[in-house]
PDB file of all heavy atoms in Angstrom:
ATOM      1  N   GLN A 197      38.410 215.708 -56.339  1.00 97.00           N
ATOM      2  CA  GLN A 197      38.329 215.698 -54.878  1.00 97.00           C
ATOM      3  C   GLN A 197      39.531 216.359 -54.222  1.00 97.00           C
ATOM      4  O   GLN A 197      40.004 215.838 -53.260  1.00 97.00           O
ATOM      5  CB  GLN A 197      38.171 214.239 -54.382  1.00 97.00           C
ATOM      6  CG  GLN A 197      36.993 213.531 -55.028  1.00 97.00           C
ATOM      7  CD  GLN A 197      37.020 212.047 -54.827  1.00 97.00           C
ATOM      8  OE1 GLN A 197      36.831 211.500 -53.752  1.00 97.00           O
ATOM      9  NE2 GLN A 197      37.255 211.329 -55.958  1.00 97.00           N
ATOM     10  N   ASP A 198      39.966 217.404 -54.823  1.00 97.00           N
ATOM     11  CA  ASP A 198      41.165 218.117 -54.289  1.00 97.00           C
ATOM     12  C   ASP A 198      40.825 219.046 -53.137  1.00 97.00           C
ATOM     13  O   ASP A 198      41.366 220.174 -53.058  1.00 97.00           O
ATOM     14  CB  ASP A 198      41.837 218.907 -55.424  1.00 97.00           C
ATOM     15  CG  ASP A 198      42.638 218.035 -56.368  1.00 97.00           C
ATOM     16  OD1 ASP A 198      43.052 216.963 -55.926  1.00 97.00           O
ATOM     17  OD2 ASP A 198      42.818 218.432 -57.484  1.00 97.00           O
ATOM     18  N   TRP A 199      39.881 218.626 -52.280  1.00 98.00           N
ATOM     19  CA  TRP A 199      39.577 219.389 -51.125  1.00 98.00           C
ATOM     20  C   TRP A 199      40.193 218.774 -49.928  1.00 98.00           C
ATOM     21  O   TRP A 199      40.399 217.560 -49.880  1.00 98.00           O
ATOM     22  CB  TRP A 199      38.052 219.436 -50.960  1.00 98.00           C
ATOM     23  CG  TRP A 199      37.379 218.138 -51.263  1.00 98.00           C
ATOM     24  CD1 TRP A 199      37.734 216.920 -50.707  1.00 98.00           C
ATOM     25  CD2 TRP A 199      36.228 217.913 -52.081  1.00 98.00           C
ATOM     26  NE1 TRP A 199      36.890 215.921 -51.199  1.00 98.00           N
ATOM     27  CE2 TRP A 199      35.932 216.542 -52.010  1.00 98.00           C
ATOM     28  CE3 TRP A 199      35.436 218.685 -52.858  1.00 98.00           C
ATOM     29  CZ2 TRP A 199      34.920 215.910 -52.730  1.00 98.00           C
ATOM     30  CZ3 TRP A 199      34.418 218.127 -53.583  1.00 98.00           C
ATOM     31  CH2 TRP A 199      34.131 216.705 -53.453  1.00 98.00           C
ATOM     32  N   ARG A 200      40.487 219.563 -48.962  1.00 98.00           N
ATOM     33  CA  ARG A 200      40.975 219.084 -47.627  1.00 98.00           C
ATOM     34  C   ARG A 200      40.270 219.835 -46.566  1.00 98.00           C
ATOM     35  O   ARG A 200      40.016 221.062 -46.670  1.00 98.00           O
ATOM     36  CB  ARG A 200      42.461 219.303 -47.556  1.00 98.00           C
ATOM     37  CG  ARG A 200      43.321 218.614 -48.633  1.00 98.00           C
ATOM     38  CD  ARG A 200      43.330 217.059 -48.435  1.00 98.00           C
ATOM     39  NE  ARG A 200      44.085 216.383 -49.445  1.00 98.00           N
ATOM     40  CZ  ARG A 200      43.671 215.915 -50.616  1.00 98.00           C
ATOM     41  NH1 ARG A 200      42.366 216.075 -50.910  1.00 98.00           N
ATOM     42  NH2 ARG A 200      44.480 215.304 -51.440  1.00 98.00           N
ATOM     43  N   PHE A 201      39.926 219.167 -45.478  1.00 98.00           N
ATOM     44  CA  PHE A 201      39.160 219.828 -44.377  1.00 98.00           C
ATOM     45  C   PHE A 201      39.931 219.601 -43.095  1.00 98.00           C
ATOM     46  O   PHE A 201      40.314 218.511 -42.757  1.00 98.00           O
ATOM     47  CB  PHE A 201      37.784 219.120 -44.246  1.00 98.00           C
ATOM     48  CG  PHE A 201      37.054 219.122 -45.557  1.00 98.00           C
ATOM     49  CD1 PHE A 201      37.151 218.048 -46.383  1.00 98.00           C
ATOM     50  CD2 PHE A 201      36.237 220.202 -45.921  1.00 98.00           C
ATOM     51  CE1 PHE A 201      36.442 218.033 -47.627  1.00 98.00           C
ATOM     52  CE2 PHE A 201      35.583 220.220 -47.072  1.00 98.00           C
ATOM     53  CZ  PHE A 201      35.666 219.095 -47.985  1.00 98.00           C
ATOM     54  N   VAL A 202      40.250 220.695 -42.446  1.00 98.00           N
ATOM     55  CA  VAL A 202      40.889 220.669 -41.178  1.00 98.00           C
ATOM     56  C   VAL A 202      39.833 220.866 -40.094  1.00 98.00           C
ATOM     57  O   VAL A 202      39.099 221.824 -40.091  1.00 98.00           O
ATOM     58  CB  VAL A 202      42.058 221.692 -41.001  1.00 98.00           C
ATOM     59  CG1 VAL A 202      42.824 221.533 -39.713  1.00 98.00           C
ATOM     60  CG2 VAL A 202      42.989 221.671 -42.204  1.00 98.00           C
ATOM     61  N   LEU A 230      35.486 224.074 -38.957  1.00 98.00           N
ATOM     62  CA  LEU A 230      35.994 223.403 -40.117  1.00 98.00           C
ATOM     63  C   LEU A 230      36.671 224.403 -41.040  1.00 98.00           C
ATOM     64  O   LEU A 230      36.104 225.453 -41.340  1.00 98.00           O
ATOM     65  CB  LEU A 230      34.803 222.694 -40.842  1.00 98.00           C
ATOM     66  CG  LEU A 230      34.012 221.719 -40.022  1.00 98.00           C
ATOM     67  CD1 LEU A 230      32.711 221.290 -40.756  1.00 98.00           C
ATOM     68  CD2 LEU A 230      34.890 220.509 -39.714  1.00 98.00           C
ATOM     69  N   VAL A 231      37.858 224.054 -41.485  1.00 98.00           N
ATOM     70  CA  VAL A 231      38.581 224.893 -42.336  1.00 98.00           C
ATOM     71  C   VAL A 231      38.706 224.205 -43.705  1.00 98.00           C
ATOM     72  O   VAL A 231      39.332 223.160 -43.866  1.00 98.00           O
ATOM     73  CB  VAL A 231      40.009 225.238 -41.746  1.00 98.00           C
ATOM     74  CG1 VAL A 231      40.810 226.110 -42.703  1.00 98.00           C
ATOM     75  CG2 VAL A 231      39.872 225.817 -40.393  1.00 98.00           C
ATOM     76  N   GLY A 232      38.014 224.766 -44.706  1.00 98.00           N
ATOM     77  CA  GLY A 232      37.934 224.165 -46.012  1.00 98.00           C
ATOM     78  C   GLY A 232      39.047 224.638 -46.910  1.00 98.00           C
ATOM     79  O   GLY A 232      39.176 225.840 -47.148  1.00 98.00           O
ATOM     80  N   CYS A 233      39.890 223.714 -47.418  1.00 98.00           N
ATOM     81  CA  CYS A 233      40.974 224.096 -48.259  1.00 98.00           C
ATOM     82  C   CYS A 233      40.945 223.364 -49.619  1.00 98.00           C
ATOM     83  O   CYS A 233      40.238 222.392 -49.757  1.00 98.00           O
ATOM     84  CB  CYS A 233      42.303 223.649 -47.560  1.00 98.00           C
ATOM     85  SG  CYS A 233      42.492 224.306 -45.898  1.00 98.00           S
ATOM     86  N   SER A 234      41.685 223.924 -50.569  1.00 97.00           N
ATOM     87  CA  SER A 234      41.740 223.291 -51.846  1.00 97.00           C
ATOM     88  C   SER A 234      43.142 223.168 -52.316  1.00 97.00           C
ATOM     89  O   SER A 234      43.929 224.151 -52.243  1.00 97.00           O
ATOM     90  CB  SER A 234      40.933 224.089 -52.917  1.00 97.00           C
ATOM     91  OG  SER A 234      41.148 223.506 -54.155  1.00 97.00           O
ATOM     92  N   ASN A 235      43.477 222.024 -52.863  1.00 93.00           N
ATOM     93  CA  ASN A 235      44.793 221.743 -53.413  1.00 93.00           C
ATOM     94  C   ASN A 235      44.818 222.109 -54.928  1.00 93.00           C
ATOM     95  O   ASN A 235      45.839 221.790 -55.515  1.00 93.00           O
ATOM     96  CB  ASN A 235      45.101 220.282 -53.375  1.00 93.00           C
ATOM     97  CG  ASN A 235      45.654 219.844 -52.013  1.00 93.00           C
ATOM     98  OD1 ASN A 235      46.144 220.742 -51.335  1.00 93.00           O
ATOM     99  ND2 ASN A 235      45.559 218.581 -51.773  1.00 93.00           N
ATOM    100  N   ASN A 236      43.763 222.537 -55.463  1.00 91.00           N
ATOM    101  CA  ASN A 236      43.576 222.659 -56.886  1.00 91.00           C
ATOM    102  C   ASN A 236      43.606 224.087 -57.363  1.00 91.00           C
ATOM    103  O   ASN A 236      42.728 224.809 -56.986  1.00 91.00           O
ATOM    104  CB  ASN A 236      42.292 221.930 -57.357  1.00 91.00           C
ATOM    105  CG  ASN A 236      42.267 221.723 -58.791  1.00 91.00           C
ATOM    106  OD1 ASN A 236      42.473 222.631 -59.583  1.00 91.00           O
ATOM    107  ND2 ASN A 236      41.878 220.537 -59.255  1.00 91.00           N
ATOM    108  N   GLY A 247      38.966 224.921 -57.820  1.00 97.00           N
ATOM    109  CA  GLY A 247      39.151 224.687 -56.356  1.00 97.00           C
ATOM    110  C   GLY A 247      37.991 225.245 -55.497  1.00 97.00           C
ATOM    111  O   GLY A 247      37.374 224.519 -54.729  1.00 97.00           O
ATOM    112  N   ASP A 250      34.447 223.486 -56.097  1.00 98.00           N
ATOM    113  CA  ASP A 250      34.364 222.138 -55.561  1.00 98.00           C
ATOM    114  C   ASP A 250      34.272 222.189 -54.067  1.00 98.00           C
ATOM    115  O   ASP A 250      33.434 221.540 -53.416  1.00 98.00           O
ATOM    116  CB  ASP A 250      35.554 221.290 -56.018  1.00 98.00           C
ATOM    117  CG  ASP A 250      35.471 220.837 -57.427  1.00 98.00           C
ATOM    118  OD1 ASP A 250      34.475 221.090 -58.088  1.00 98.00           O
ATOM    119  OD2 ASP A 250      36.517 220.290 -57.928  1.00 98.00           O
ATOM    120  N   LEU A 251      35.118 223.074 -53.470  1.00 98.00           N
ATOM    121  CA  LEU A 251      35.143 223.088 -51.981  1.00 98.00           C
ATOM    122  C   LEU A 251      33.800 223.684 -51.490  1.00 98.00           C
ATOM    123  O   LEU A 251      33.280 223.116 -50.504  1.00 98.00           O
ATOM    124  CB  LEU A 251      36.356 224.039 -51.593  1.00 98.00           C
ATOM    125  CG  LEU A 251      36.851 224.092 -50.148  1.00 98.00           C
ATOM    126  CD1 LEU A 251      35.986 225.067 -49.294  1.00 98.00           C
ATOM    127  CD2 LEU A 251      36.849 222.694 -49.451  1.00 98.00           C
ATOM    128  N   MET A 255      31.264 222.085 -48.817  1.00 98.00           N
ATOM    129  CA  MET A 255      30.942 222.794 -47.582  1.00 98.00           C
ATOM    130  C   MET A 255      29.423 222.994 -47.386  1.00 98.00           C
ATOM    131  O   MET A 255      28.944 222.946 -46.320  1.00 98.00           O
ATOM    132  CB  MET A 255      31.588 224.193 -47.528  1.00 98.00           C
ATOM    133  CG  MET A 255      33.106 224.132 -47.453  1.00 98.00           C
ATOM    134  SD  MET A 255      33.811 223.328 -46.045  1.00 98.00           S
ATOM    135  CE  MET A 255      33.854 224.667 -44.825  1.00 98.00           C
ATOM    136  N   VAL A 280      45.447 232.153 -41.136  1.00 98.00           N
ATOM    137  CA  VAL A 280      44.919 230.781 -40.879  1.00 98.00           C
ATOM    138  C   VAL A 280      45.940 229.743 -41.230  1.00 98.00           C
ATOM    139  O   VAL A 280      46.115 228.757 -40.509  1.00 98.00           O
ATOM    140  CB  VAL A 280      43.626 230.618 -41.752  1.00 98.00           C
ATOM    141  CG1 VAL A 280      43.117 229.157 -41.697  1.00 98.00           C
ATOM    142  CG2 VAL A 280      42.538 231.592 -41.372  1.00 98.00           C
ATOM    143  N   ARG A 281      46.712 229.982 -42.280  1.00 98.00           N
ATOM    144  CA  ARG A 281      47.793 229.033 -42.663  1.00 98.00           C
ATOM    145  C   ARG A 281      48.779 228.932 -41.495  1.00 98.00           C
ATOM    146  O   ARG A 281      49.218 227.823 -41.172  1.00 98.00           O
ATOM    147  CB  ARG A 281      48.520 229.554 -43.896  1.00 98.00           C
ATOM    148  CG  ARG A 281      47.850 229.208 -45.208  1.00 98.00           C
ATOM    149  CD  ARG A 281      48.855 229.243 -46.356  1.00 98.00           C
ATOM    150  NE  ARG A 281      48.058 229.288 -47.523  1.00 98.00           N
ATOM    151  CZ  ARG A 281      47.690 230.330 -48.157  1.00 98.00           C
ATOM    152  NH1 ARG A 281      48.028 231.558 -47.687  1.00 98.00           N
ATOM    153  NH2 ARG A 281      46.974 230.268 -49.252  1.00 98.00           N
ATOM    154  N   LEU A 284      47.472 226.897 -38.462  1.00 98.00           N
ATOM    155  CA  LEU A 284      47.223 225.461 -38.656  1.00 98.00           C
ATOM    156  C   LEU A 284      48.326 224.760 -39.378  1.00 98.00           C
ATOM    157  O   LEU A 284      48.211 223.546 -39.644  1.00 98.00           O
ATOM    158  CB  LEU A 284      45.832 225.254 -39.390  1.00 98.00           C
ATOM    159  CG  LEU A 284      44.606 225.896 -38.728  1.00 98.00           C
ATOM    160  CD1 LEU A 284      43.393 225.698 -39.517  1.00 98.00           C
ATOM    161  CD2 LEU A 284      44.455 225.337 -37.336  1.00 98.00           C
ATOM    162  N   ILE A 286      49.263 225.179 -42.521  1.00 98.00           N
ATOM    163  CA  ILE A 286      48.798 224.843 -43.904  1.00 98.00           C
ATOM    164  C   ILE A 286      49.843 225.401 -44.892  1.00 98.00           C
ATOM    165  O   ILE A 286      50.210 226.527 -44.853  1.00 98.00           O
ATOM    166  CB  ILE A 286      47.380 225.454 -44.195  1.00 98.00           C
ATOM    167  CG1 ILE A 286      46.345 224.890 -43.234  1.00 98.00           C
ATOM    168  CG2 ILE A 286      47.011 225.214 -45.656  1.00 98.00           C
ATOM    169  CD1 ILE A 286      44.990 225.584 -43.269  1.00 98.00           C
ATOM    170  N   VAL A 290      48.519 225.663 -50.691  1.00 97.00           N
ATOM    171  CA  VAL A 290      47.118 225.212 -50.505  1.00 97.00           C
ATOM    172  C   VAL A 290      46.298 226.441 -50.257  1.00 97.00           C
ATOM    173  O   VAL A 290      46.633 227.348 -49.476  1.00 97.00           O
ATOM    174  CB  VAL A 290      47.025 224.295 -49.256  1.00 97.00           C
ATOM    175  CG1 VAL A 290      45.576 223.953 -48.887  1.00 97.00           C
ATOM    176  CG2 VAL A 290      47.822 222.992 -49.524  1.00 97.00           C
ATOM    177  N   ARG A 291      45.147 226.516 -50.951  1.00 97.00           N
ATOM    178  CA  ARG A 291      44.291 227.651 -50.886  1.00 97.00           C
ATOM    179  C   ARG A 291      43.263 227.458 -49.716  1.00 97.00           C
ATOM    180  O   ARG A 291      42.563 226.432 -49.705  1.00 97.00           O
ATOM    181  CB  ARG A 291      43.494 227.812 -52.112  1.00 97.00           C
ATOM    182  CG  ARG A 291      42.724 229.090 -52.359  1.00 97.00           C
ATOM    183  CD  ARG A 291      42.067 229.056 -53.724  1.00 97.00           C
ATOM    184  NE  ARG A 291      43.068 229.348 -54.750  1.00 97.00           N
ATOM    185  CZ  ARG A 291      43.234 230.568 -55.349  1.00 97.00           C
ATOM    186  NH1 ARG A 291      42.530 231.533 -54.902  1.00 97.00           N
ATOM    187  NH2 ARG A 291      44.174 230.725 -56.251  1.00 97.00           N
ATOM    188  N   VAL A 292      43.199 228.417 -48.819  1.00 98.00           N
ATOM    189  CA  VAL A 292      42.184 228.316 -47.698  1.00 98.00           C
ATOM    190  C   VAL A 292      40.947 229.059 -48.237  1.00 98.00           C
ATOM    191  O   VAL A 292      41.028 230.261 -48.457  1.00 98.00           O
ATOM    192  CB  VAL A 292      42.665 228.985 -46.394  1.00 98.00           C
ATOM    193  CG1 VAL A 292      41.561 228.792 -45.268  1.00 98.00           C
ATOM    194  CG2 VAL A 292      44.001 228.426 -45.943  1.00 98.00           C
ATOM    195  N   VAL A 293      39.868 228.335 -48.442  1.00 98.00           N
ATOM    196  CA  VAL A 293      38.695 228.849 -49.116  1.00 98.00           C
ATOM    197  C   VAL A 293      37.683 229.276 -48.130  1.00 98.00           C
ATOM    198  O   VAL A 293      37.049 230.318 -48.348  1.00 98.00           O
ATOM    199  CB  VAL A 293      38.084 227.792 -50.107  1.00 98.00           C
ATOM    200  CG1 VAL A 293      36.897 228.380 -50.821  1.00 98.00           C
ATOM    201  CG2 VAL A 293      39.095 227.328 -51.110  1.00 98.00           C
ATOM    202  N   GLU A 294      37.462 228.614 -47.030  1.00 98.00           N
ATOM    203  CA  GLU A 294      36.277 228.850 -46.218  1.00 98.00           C
ATOM    204  C   GLU A 294      36.527 228.384 -44.834  1.00 98.00           C
ATOM    205  O   GLU A 294      37.147 227.343 -44.651  1.00 98.00           O
ATOM    206  CB  GLU A 294      35.100 228.168 -46.815  1.00 98.00           C
ATOM    207  CG  GLU A 294      33.759 228.690 -46.505  1.00 98.00           C
ATOM    208  CD  GLU A 294      33.594 230.147 -47.009  1.00 98.00           C
ATOM    209  OE1 GLU A 294      33.788 230.391 -48.184  1.00 98.00           O
ATOM    210  OE2 GLU A 294      33.151 230.947 -46.240  1.00 98.00           O
ATOM    211  N   LEU A 295      36.016 229.091 -43.846  1.00 98.00           N
ATOM    212  CA  LEU A 295      35.933 228.608 -42.482  1.00 98.00           C
ATOM    213  C   LEU A 295      34.448 228.337 -42.199  1.00 98.00           C
ATOM    214  O   LEU A 295      33.606 229.088 -42.673  1.00 98.00           O
ATOM    215  CB  LEU A 295      36.463 229.664 -41.433  1.00 98.00           C
ATOM    216  CG  LEU A 295      37.823 230.264 -41.661  1.00 98.00           C
ATOM    217  CD1 LEU A 295      38.198 231.130 -40.454  1.00 98.00           C
ATOM    218  CD2 LEU A 295      38.903 229.271 -41.981  1.00 98.00           C
TER     219      LEU A 295
END
Side-chain angles (χ1 to χ4, degrees):
Q197 305 163 69
D198 282 335
W199 44 47
R200 299 292 182 266
F201 306 91
V202 185
L230 299 170
V231 180
C233 305
S234 174
N235 274 341
N236 191 312
D250 287 351
L251 193 274
M255 293 301 273
V280 173
R281 278 201 194 90
L284 303 178
I286 298 171
V290 172
R291 191 178 285 263
V292 183
V293 181
E294 204 62 49
L295 310 186

